[in-house]
Amino acid sequence: MKANTIENTFLGLAIGDALGVPVEFKDRTYLKQCPVTDMMEFGSHHQPMGTWSDDSSLTFCLAESLCKNYSLEDIAKKFVKWYNSELWTPHGEVFDIGITTVQSINSFIKGSPAVLSGGIGEFDNGNGSLMRISPIAFYVKDMSIEKRFDIIKDVSSITHGHIRSIISCFIYVEYMLELLKNEDKFDAYYNMQKQVNHFLNTNPICSQNEINKFHRILENPINDYVIEPVYALEEKEISSSGYVLNTLEASLWCFLNTDNYRDTVLKAVNLGNDTDTTACVVGALAGLHYGKENIPQDWIEKLVKKEDIIDLSKKLSKKMNL
């Protein structure tokens, strides 16, 4: 395991997020003509250079809660404080937030238990829990896979309670855990597939139809046909919308088709559309795997509140004995 694992992960995700913020909603055609190659300012949300979005904010709220003790209610309360611009905003205000997340936070404010606050409909499968789930990997790393799944399910359900969002978070965390153990990202990926497939096939958590939606990631055969793995797909087959499954696929595709942090996150941003979230999700993987020394130093220097992020990572590392 690399030194400063959590710091590497947090810087990786926040920088990816900040690279994507200025071009969020720009389509792929536009970004083919005007590709992002470096940190930018203003743009879609008219924010200063190095500004990260709700993706990083909610990740850091979760991490700060885990620095105390694991409590769904406390995590949700931290989300409310952020929503009220009192915690983990880059500049003292919230400028970007998903519809399902807003509805879930308001549900919690009105008295819903945290675990029941998230949307559970099929149309509640945005990427709002996937984008913030990475700190959970460090909390569950020494637990059984059954316990890991239960915790991931509950933490996702604060905002996104549909099984598709939960499985997406589960796959992502399991891959992070394999990356912690394995220097080769493809070996880690194959190990993740094996673990997740076995778990899904031996635990009745959802329908086979729901499992089949992950066939490109898990390479489950459907109707006796072997599916092409996600990393072998062409760019035109990869969507970068805000749908959770698209974000997960796009992130894995970017990570497995590059060999350094810079190229990974720029590939994600230049897919277009939900640029900040795709780059945030894959940025955590790339930061974890390649380490801080592989992140361009000038990007680290331009990151808003970088010292606060580093301090948080150190606090969580101490709590998690990493």
Side-chain angles (χ1 to χ4, degrees):
M1 186 183 299
K2 291 183 174 68
N4 304 315
T5 300
I6 297 179
E7 181 179 332
N8 297 340
T9 303
F10 285 2
L11 289 174
L13 69 89
I15 288 169
D17 187 358
L19 284 163
V21 164
V23 292
E24 188 179 14
F25 314 125
K26 297 293 186 183
D27 64 26
R28 200 169 299 178
T29 301
Y30 172 85
L31 288 168
K32 290 289 184 189
Q33 299 170 342
C34 305
V36 174
T37 60
D38 203 347
M39 283 276 187
M40 298 168 56
E41 58 185 349
F42 306 124
S44 300
H45 296 283
H46 203 69
Q47 296 295 315
M49 186 180 297
T51 299
W52 26 272
S53 73
D54 56 328
D55 306 37
S56 297
S57 293
L58 290 171
T59 300
F60 299 148
C61 287
L62 171 56
E64 185 164 307
S65 184
L66 291 175
C67 287
K68 296 166 59 180
N69 291 298
Y70 173 69
S71 164
L72 291 178
E73 301 301 308
D74 186 70
I75 296 167
K77 287 176 182 177
K78 295 241 178 336
F79 290 175
V80 172
K81 288 189 74 173
W82 163 76
Y83 183 53
N84 291 331
S85 300
E86 298 169 354
L87 182 68
W88 280 112
T89 64
H91 303 292
E93 62 180 4
V94 174
F95 65 86
D96 190 20
I97 185 170
I99 295 171
T100 302
T101 298
V102 170
Q103 292 171 340
S104 302
I105 290 174
N106 281 323
S107 179
F108 178 75
I109 290 171
K110 293 174 183 176
S112 172
V115 74
L116 299 177
S117 293
I120 58 173
E122 185 166 10
F123 292 101
D124 294 318
N125 278 307
N127 51 27
S129 63
L130 178 64
M131 70 189 193
R132 61 170 168 81
I133 202 69
S134 59
I136 285 296
F138 306 112
Y139 178 73
V140 302
K141 61 183 173 61
D142 297 321
M143 299 178 184
S144 69
I145 193 168
E146 292 80 12
K147 183 64 174 175
R148 295 198 298 265
F149 178 82
D150 288 343
I151 288 175
I152 292 164
K153 175 179 180 292
D154 288 348
V155 174
S156 175
S157 295
I158 297 173
T159 55
H160 293 71
H162 192 277
I163 192 64
R164 200 172 308 158
S165 289
I166 292 163
I167 293 175
S168 295
C169 290
F170 178 58
I171 289 170
Y172 182 75
V173 169
E174 289 298 302
Y175 189 32
M176 286 185 67
L177 294 175
E178 290 299 328
L179 287 171
L180 282 171
K181 296 185 291 187
N182 202 312
E183 287 295 321
D184 186 282
K185 63 185 177 183
F186 282 96
D187 287 347
Y189 189 74
Y190 301 143
N191 290 340
M192 176 277 289
Q193 289 178 315
K194 188 187 305 181
Q195 289 264 50
V196 172
N197 277 320
H198 182 264
F199 178 83
L200 294 178
N201 290 328
T202 55
N203 291 273
I205 61 169
C206 63
S207 67
Q208 185 61 45
N209 180 61
E210 199 63 47
I211 294 173
N212 287 347
K213 295 188 182 300
F214 294 88
H215 63 275
R216 300 206 300 193
I217 294 170
L218 300 177
E219 294 182 59
N220 280 315
I222 296 181
N223 298 327
D224 297 323
Y225 291 101
V226 177
I227 306 302
E228 192 171 24
V230 67
Y231 55 81
L233 300 173
E234 295 182 27
E235 184 183 278
K236 65 183 180 182
E237 299 175 89
I238 296 295
S239 174
S240 50
S241 77
Y243 172 44
V244 66
L245 190 50
N246 287 346
T247 301
L248 181 59
E249 285 190 345
S251 300
L252 294 170
W253 183 81
C254 290
F255 183 58
L256 293 168
N257 280 289
T258 49
D259 60 7
N260 61 80
Y261 178 86
R262 178 188 174 90
D263 289 348
T264 300
V265 291
L266 290 179
K267 196 175 194 72
V269 170
N270 287 309
L271 288 175
N273 298 316
D274 203 354
T275 52
D276 56 335
T277 304
T278 306
C280 177
V281 172
V282 77
L285 297 178
L288 171 66
H289 183 64
Y290 296 116
K292 181 175 68 172
E293 63 276 8
N294 195 249
I295 301 174
Q297 184 61 35
D298 61 321
W299 288 359
I300 295 175
E301 292 303 318
K302 292 171 183 173
L303 186 66
V304 170
K305 292 188 176 178
K306 66 179 181 299
E307 295 302 332
D308 292 346
I309 295 168
I310 292 170
D311 287 346
L312 175 64
S313 72
K314 289 177 179 177
K315 284 173 57 181
L316 188 60
S317 293
K318 183 177 180 181
K319 180 70 175 181
M320 299 295 127
N321 296 314
L322 283 172

